[in-house]
Amino acid sequence: GKDYLTPAEYHERKGLSAELVRRYCRTGRLEAVKVSNRWLVRADSEPIDYEPRTKTGAYIGLNDLKRGDVETFLAKRGITL
């Protein structure tokens, strides 16, 4: 098989979003090389410190902040002032 994959190909194989794959390339969490402004990811590379997010069912948006309700915004994240 191919030794290197595009972020889109890696995303299809591993199930990570293509943007997350590119971010991991930029931050060194995936073995990748940049060629002519495009990332190529080693096909056998595994992300460093990758932990899938668990879905809590609670949507947390920036609307609380836009309304100025910082305490609600932080409380939804388990942070109390």
Side-chain angles (χ1 to χ4, degrees), residues 10-78:
Y10 189 89
H11 140 76
E12 286 176 12
R13 280 198 191 174
K14 302 288 185 173
L16 302 175
S17 76
E19 179 52 41
L20 186 62
V21 173
R22 285 188 289 273
R23 187 179 324 140
Y24 282 4
C25 291
R26 284 192 304 271
T27 58
R29 292 177 70 183
L30 275 172
E31 290 181 69
V33 292
K34 198 164 192 181
V35 180
S36 298
N37 208 28
R38 292 184 184 265
W39 286 105
L40 293 176
V41 187
R42 277 189 52 141
D44 60 356
S45 179
E46 290 295 328
I48 298 169
D49 297 331
Y50 172 69
E51 290 184 23
R53 288 187 178 182
T54 56
K55 299 211 184 250
T56 61
Y59 175 74
I60 302 170
L62 293 177
N63 287 333
D64 292 321
L65 278 182
K66 288 176 184 169
R67 285 194 302 267
D69 191 352
V70 176
E71 288 183 19
T72 299
F73 181 82
L74 295 175
K76 287 181 178 179
R77 289 163 173 77

